[in-house]
Amino acid sequence: MRRLILMRHAEAEATSRDGDRGRPLSPRGQDDARQAGLTLARLGFKPDHAVVSPARRTRQTWDLAAEALGDVELLTPDGLYNAESDILRSEIEALEDQAGCLMVVAHNPGIHALAIELLADAAASPALLERLAMGFPPGSAAIFGVDDYGRISWQGYLRPGATDLT
């Protein structure tokens, strides 16, 4: 794996008759997910594999973002629904030899915790760690590079609705 994109699902409706798993994206969330895909594609961050929680809001986030990303091998393991960072990390490790660029679309707090853990593993600056620790809003994405030795490097942060990385 050369690149890893961790994305939190975009903004969802507060409730659904189908329970938490069935909550759809809000209109803003739909726009943010579509924009995220366009921005990632324009910047050259096109995954060849994606691991997506089976919840409706994560699947919708992926489907809208993927419109701009082309063909991707998609997995939706049931265990990714509200998964903690260790579960997310296990899914990533299972695919690291198959994926050139892997995108994970999941939920907080797990996706946020994993982003912070990876930054710490990469010996990121305290300022960067503090900035990311302040929050990981719906529709945001953290992008990491991975070298030949498995070392992680920070490549950027995509805010919801943004057209460039910060």
Side-chain angles (χ1 to χ4, degrees):
M1 180 173 60
R2 305 302 269 164
R3 186 166 287 136
L4 174 64
I5 303 166
L6 300 179
M7 184 172 186
R8 182 179 177 193
H9 64 78
E11 181 184 271
E13 297 292 346
T15 60
S16 168
R17 286 185 283 169
D18 298 325
D20 187 61
R21 278 185 182 232
R23 289 193 302 134
L25 292 182
S26 68
R28 176 183 171 189
Q30 293 173 28
D31 290 344
D32 288 349
R34 197 172 282 110
Q35 182 61 54
L38 290 168
T39 300
L40 290 169
R42 182 178 52 78
L43 296 174
F45 298 123
K46 291 186 176 186
D48 50 37
H49 286 71
V51 179
V52 179
S53 163
R56 184 174 180 191
R57 60 193 177 274
T58 48
R59 287 299 309 267
Q60 285 181 320
T61 298
W62 167 252
D63 289 344
L64 291 166
E67 290 173 1
L69 298 174
D71 282 340
V72 176
E73 174 101 15
L74 178 64
L75 297 169
T76 57
D78 197 55
L80 247 60
Y81 174 69
N82 279 338
E84 296 296 326
S85 63
D86 60 329
I87 301 297
L88 295 171
R89 193 180 281 249
S90 293
E91 290 290 337
I92 292 164
E93 289 170 354
L95 291 168
E96 66 187 351
D97 291 335
Q98 299 169 41
C101 179
L102 174 63
M103 186 165 174
V104 179
V105 183
H107 311 266
N108 266 2
I111 200 82
H112 184 206
L114 181 57
I116 291 172
E117 290 169 18
L118 293 175
L119 276 176
D121 291 352
S125 71
L128 182 55
L129 280 165
E130 185 176 323
R131 188 176 84 194
L132 195 60
M134 298 296 288
F136 203 74
S140 58
I143 298 134
F144 298 89
V146 183
D147 72 12
D148 291 338
Y149 302 101
R151 293 179 296 218
I152 302 278
S153 63
W154 176 250
Q155 294 197 332
Y157 178 68
L158 182 61
R159 295 182 182 283
T163 58
D164 214 340
L165 301 179
T166 59

